[in-house]
Amino acid sequence: MKLPKLVLIAVGKLAAVACRLVGRDAGNFPGLALWTIDKSFLRCFSVDCPVIAVTGTNGKTSTTNYLNKIFSSLPNEKCVITNMQGNNLDTGIGSLLLHHCDMHGRIHADHLVLEVDESHVPVIFKYLKLETLVVLNFFRDQLDRNGEVETLILKVQKFLEHSDAQLVLNADDPNVVRLCPKGKKAHFFSVEKYEGATDELYEAGEGKFCPFCAAALEYEYYQYSHIGRFRCPRCGYGDVTPETQIKDIDFDNSCFKINGEAFTSKYMGIYHLYNLSAVYTAAKLYNIDSKLINDAFEDFQVNNGRMEVFRTSDAELLLNLAKNPVGANMTLRLLNQYKGEEQLLFVLNDNVADGLDVSWIWDINFSIFNNVTKVVTSGTRAYDIAVRIKYSGYDAQKIVPIPDLDAAAAEIFSTGGRKFAIANYTAVQPTRAALTRYITAKEAH
Amino acid sequence: MYPGLLDLYGDSGNVEALRYRCAVRGIDLEVFTHELGDEKRADIADMDIIYLGGGADYEQQQLAEDLISYRKELSDAHKNGTFMLMICGGYQLMGKYYKDSNDKKIDGLGLFEYYTEASTDKRDRCIGNIVVEAELDGKKYKVIGFENHGGQTFGSDKPFGRTLCGNGNVRGGEYEGYMEERVIATYLHGPLLSKNPLLTDYIISKCTGIEQLKKLDDSLEERCRDILLKRLLK
Ligand SMILES: [Zn+2]
């Protein structure tokens, strides 16, 4: 027997109140409670505004944050609902909707901007009406949780065949372009060939073969990993004209152009430019003024271990989360772009949320490792990452494995200058905490 | 073979480990690759070692036909004493057949007598750290890896080792893999050779005929192993 909608909503609201009473952050608990009672609990909600969702392996959180910022800055906008904490499964989104709905399950807002896990797109939008879906990319990510990449793509593809959502798709990812159903027009985004693009595949990637005729895909160039201008020589798959293309990229002045208009951004990594291109394309579907888009690009700041900067009196460290090889390669690209000497801190854990397996570190490309004078490794798998870097040909004498994070923080800051840090999923918060503790203690002296 | 398709879970790291441990000893190692769609190689049986990694079901299906066209060459290589290192998918495809999670049966090369069947429940997989006790030239060695397979392999009469922690060939099983003096077929990712330097050296020894390889400073590798073994074999 299924409980009536009103009862479910009431139960969910009570669960949220109960959490608050015992002093807990509700997180995804209320949603989880409803899901346990009724797997189709999302049917209880009715949303009367446009729903914009962002999915893909990498960049969901920051792309969602940009869109939220842009929609919130609209002159007549009263309420934008978004899942800022990365609660991106059905239970997390259910909790968010519970929090904002009335006792009838109705949600009144101007826009709903949601980050959605790739595997949950079909589940969530079976019940919620989706207006716009942004798909950034598909990389290998925590396979144990999601099933293999191909299965995942097929799931989303099947869902989109019966959805009338408008699609904002990465024109340069063969795993994404294929999501556009036959006969439908998608809004493709892209970034023009940049100075770090290569003729050969430089980092491990998926999607080497045409999904329609199995021929090997040909690339004019690779931007990073398997993202680049590709085409199937046999059936022409990949011949798309992007609606948005970031051009005239100027790394020295942190600016670029879209459709002749100039934009400025703090973050200029190539993977980040793709996110910005997606943000622009989605915002333009809602006729948003370029000035508001540029304001968001200019101001945007993250402080959650994604491109976060830590400073001491004589050192500057850039920390970046890496859940997979692509994430780590992004940081290594920045490290190699830096002209002077630097040190690297790599924190690797193998907890359940990390997917237990750390073999993905072997897909990180350490073959270029410019001017790195020392590597400190930490986390529950400090020695695994140390061995991995050693086998890439880096001098083992310069690798210092220190599983304890506080000691590792002290070691990386034992000299001044420029530092980069990479931490995987469960390692990133402890790393932030250890770095902050070190800096606070140092300042106190 | 097929490094583009069979490189799940960092399996390409096995080649990197071989390359590294050869290079620091001044042993020349030349790596040839055969990808799906490449012209057929005639020199398979002249190689010192043939390596196949693991792939997803979809990828294994794609290359099965091409691989079967190498049946004779691979069988000759095996008879000539070419070392064969096969991980996960590579392991499965050398057996009689592999029935995948879509209930699709793929013919294996039939080089060995074992066969593999996967549950159609895609979530039914053996996933986790694994330690196997193998015997390398009469010496026991604890081999560390990470298993992640839906297939259950039956009929391996000469296992690679005894499972000390984890599953192995079948869920909750006692044994893992298949081994001959010059064949190692196993489910262990990790990548396998990065976690087990003595195993890598065993393979290099067999391939080069050098019995006493130069000793290397393996302090990082050994510390890594100590920590993992202590944690896994509690
Ligand atoms: Zn094609």
Side-chain angles (χ1 to χ4, degrees):
Chain A
M1 187 204 71
K2 279 193 173 171
L3 289 173
K5 262 170 63 170
L6 292 183
V7 179
L8 270 176
I9 299 282
V11 169
K13 290 246 179 208
L14 271 174
V17 170
C19 279
R20 249 168 276 140
L21 279 181
V22 296
R24 286 241 188 102
D25 177 22
N28 73 346
F29 176 72
L32 187 64
L34 288 195
W35 180 84
T36 315
I37 303 170
D38 182 346
K39 304 277 178 280
S40 64
F41 75 100
L42 284 170
R43 72 189 157 83
C44 299
F45 301 103
S46 60
V47 179
D48 61 359
C49 68
V51 178
I52 299 110
V54 179
T55 194
T57 315
N58 282 330
K60 288 188 285 286
T61 306
S62 75
T63 304
T64 307
N65 290 352
Y66 272 110
L67 284 171
N68 174 49
K69 201 168 155 61
I70 291 170
F71 281 108
S72 301
S73 70
L74 288 173
N76 295 317
E77 196 86 356
K78 285 188 273 308
C79 176
V80 179
I81 297 175
T82 187
N83 48 345
M84 296 287 273
Q85 297 85 24
N87 262 339
N88 60 17
L89 308 180
D90 54 352
T91 49
I93 287 167
S95 299
L96 177 83
L97 296 178
L98 258 176
H99 180 72
H100 289 278
C101 73
D102 62 17
M103 294 310 284
H104 297 277
R106 289 179 300 222
I107 289 134
H108 303 289
D110 296 306
H111 291 96
L112 224 67
V113 182
L114 300 174
E115 164 189 343
V116 178
D117 186 271
E118 306 84 272
S119 63
H120 280 243
V121 169
V123 190
I124 292 166
F125 298 110
K126 193 173 160 191
Y127 304 105
L128 286 187
K129 191 174 156 34
L130 178 63
E131 185 168 285
T132 303
L133 180 68
V134 180
V135 188
L136 298 169
N137 46 54
F138 275 107
F139 294 105
R140 192 174 285 171
D141 182 22
Q142 300 181 34
L143 286 162
D144 340 357
R145 192 194 49 178
N146 284 339
E148 283 136 2
V149 184
E150 180 64 21
T151 318
L152 199 60
I153 298 169
L154 289 174
K155 252 166 107 180
V156 179
Q157 196 168 12
K158 203 170 140 213
F159 163 76
L160 289 177
E161 276 165 18
H162 306 287
S163 159
D164 50 11
Q166 29 184 8
L167 299 175
V168 175
L169 303 179
N170 186 342
D172 294 338
D173 183 347
N175 288 341
V176 172
V177 173
R178 59 189 282 203
L179 294 178
C180 182
K182 259 210 170 77
K184 186 164 174 168
K185 248 195 92 196
H187 306 271
F188 287 106
F189 63 88
S190 138
V191 177
E192 76 172 1
K193 184 180 180 183
Y194 92 117
E195 60 182 37
T198 51
D199 293 338
E200 298 291 327
L201 185 65
Y202 173 72
E203 293 136 344
E206 278 85 50
K208 292 150 189 148
F209 298 91
C210 175
F212 298 102
C213 75
L217 294 174
E218 284 177 357
Y219 276 75
E220 220 174 282
Y221 55 85
Y222 293 87
Q223 300 275 46
Y224 71 97
S225 196
H226 69 268
I227 308 295
R229 194 76 295 276
F230 71 94
R231 189 178 179 278
C232 171
R234 200 185 292 164
C235 75
Y237 171 61
D239 272 336
V240 293
T241 316
E243 188 172 300
T244 305
Q245 191 173 39
I246 286 188
K247 289 188 173 163
D248 303 328
I249 305 164
D250 179 350
F251 287 104
D252 296 330
N253 298 304
S254 296
C255 60
F256 53 82
K257 281 186 180 155
I258 306 176
N259 293 333
E261 291 181 297
F263 292 86
T264 316
S265 164
K266 273 202 191 73
Y267 306 104
M268 292 289 288
I270 181 64
Y271 47 92
H272 202 81
L273 292 174
Y274 272 89
N275 296 347
L276 296 183
S277 192
V279 169
Y280 176 93
T281 313
K284 282 297 174 189
L285 289 178
Y286 294 86
N287 298 314
I288 295 177
D289 192 73
S290 295
K291 162 110 184 36
L292 293 183
I293 300 176
N294 188 49
D295 286 350
F297 285 2
E298 231 170 23
D299 298 345
F300 191 76
Q301 176 110 35
V302 273
N303 276 323
N304 54 1
R306 291 169 163 93
M307 305 293 284
E308 187 172 354
V309 177
F310 293 82
R311 286 191 183 86
T312 68
S313 52
D314 64 347
E316 184 175 293
L317 178 146
L318 179 83
L319 168 67
N320 204 10
L321 162 78
K323 291 185 285 182
N324 48 36
V326 186
N329 285 331
M330 287 169 185
T331 307
L332 292 180
R333 275 185 183 250
L334 292 174
L335 175 148
N336 286 323
Q337 263 174 34
Y338 181 69
K339 304 286 186 282
E341 286 187 346
E342 72 263 310
Q343 295 83 45
L344 174 71
L345 168 67
F346 201 125
V347 189
L348 181 68
N349 279 351
D350 65 344
N351 296 317
V352 175
D354 298 312
L356 300 171
D357 183 17
V358 296
S359 64
W360 61 273
I361 59 176
W362 288 80
D363 288 332
I364 303 174
N365 189 337
F366 285 102
S367 67
I368 301 179
F369 211 36
N370 289 339
N371 310 319
V372 182
T373 54
K374 179 165 71 181
V375 174
V376 179
T377 66
S378 189
T380 56
R381 291 291 197 132
Y383 282 89
D384 294 71
I385 182 66
V387 169
R388 197 279 166 260
I389 294 173
K390 171 184 170 181
Y391 277 45
S392 75
Y394 186 74
D395 182 359
Q397 302 300 321
K398 295 183 190 166
I399 307 175
V400 192
I402 311 179
D404 178 74
L405 259 171
D406 284 307
E411 178 66 32
I412 194 78
F413 280 127
S414 63
T415 55
R418 190 62 171 265
K419 288 112 187 22
F420 292 83
I422 297 172
N424 72 331
Y425 192 61
T426 68
V428 78
Q429 293 311 332
T431 302
R432 296 180 70 214
L435 293 170
T436 309
R437 271 197 299 274
Y438 176 83
I439 292 170
T440 318
K442 201 181 171 194
E443 275 167 1
H445 284 292
Chain B
M1 292 178 83
Y2 316 106
L5 283 168
L6 299 180
D7 71 342
L8 217 52
Y9 311 118
D11 281 350
S12 58
N14 286 323
V15 181
E16 219 170 323
L18 281 173
R19 206 193 282 272
Y20 178 85
R21 297 185 75 82
C22 282
V24 287
R25 294 183 170 113
I27 300 170
D28 281 336
L29 172 71
E30 202 175 345
V31 180
F32 301 91
T33 56
H34 170 74
E35 292 282 11
L36 187 61
D38 283 357
E39 239 165 85
K40 192 151 180 190
R41 290 198 82 95
D43 54 357
I44 292 277
D46 303 330
M47 298 289 165
D48 295 313
I49 177 165
I50 291 168
Y51 169 64
L52 277 102
D57 279 351
Y58 173 74
E59 283 140 10
Q60 285 180 204
Q61 256 173 44
Q62 275 188 308
L63 63 82
E65 203 182 312
D66 190 73
L67 182 64
I68 295 258
S69 75
Y70 278 105
R71 180 173 304 190
K72 186 177 180 304
E73 288 82 354
L74 286 168
S75 164
D76 288 349
H78 176 227
K79 279 184 211 130
N80 290 351
T82 296
F83 199 101
M84 311 200 59
L85 175 63
M86 296 153 315
I87 313 288
C88 199
Y91 170 27
Q92 296 167 340
L93 291 170
M94 292 295 151
K96 282 204 288 207
Y97 66 84
Y98 171 54
K99 195 157 75 60
D100 75 12
S101 60
N102 304 313
D103 227 5
K104 215 168 152 176
K105 197 165 153 181
I106 307 176
D107 271 335
L109 281 190
L111 242 53
F112 312 110
E113 284 300 297
Y114 57 79
Y115 59 94
T116 306
E117 295 181 349
S119 159
T120 49
D121 176 357
K122 287 187 203 292
R123 274 164 302 179
D124 182 14
R125 297 178 72 87
C126 298
I127 300 176
N129 289 303
I130 174 166
V131 182
V132 168
E133 188 164 63
E135 227 179 88
L136 307 176
D137 283 334
K139 266 192 240 125
K140 286 207 162 70
Y141 187 56
K142 292 190 177 70
V143 180
I144 305 172
F146 193 91
E147 60 178 334
N148 189 342
H149 52 102
Q152 312 260 310
T153 299
F154 305 95
S156 165
D157 53 349
K158 284 172 266 179
F160 174 40
R162 199 164 60 82
T163 309
L164 301 181
C165 149
N167 295 287
N169 285 336
V170 296
R171 182 174 291 286
E174 245 185 290
Y175 294 99
E176 204 289 325
Y178 177 86
M179 185 176 185
E180 296 176 7
E181 190 195 348
R182 288 169 177 274
V183 174
I184 292 176
T186 169
Y187 276 116
L188 270 63
H189 300 283
L192 174 73
L193 300 187
S194 76
K195 299 266 175 282
N196 307 289
L198 289 192
L199 178 64
T200 316
D201 286 356
Y202 170 86
I203 295 172
I204 296 173
S205 261
K206 296 290 169 191
C207 290
T208 57
I210 307 172
E211 272 177 36
Q212 287 302 321
L213 287 171
K214 202 171 105 202
K215 254 191 98 52
L216 303 181
D217 175 2
D218 287 337
S219 45
L220 279 181
E221 291 89 329
E222 287 309 327
R223 190 82 187 97
C224 184
R225 288 174 55 81
D226 288 347
I227 292 175
L228 282 172
L229 288 173
K230 207 169 143 199
R231 191 170 109 190
L232 299 174
L233 300 179
K234 263 201 292 245

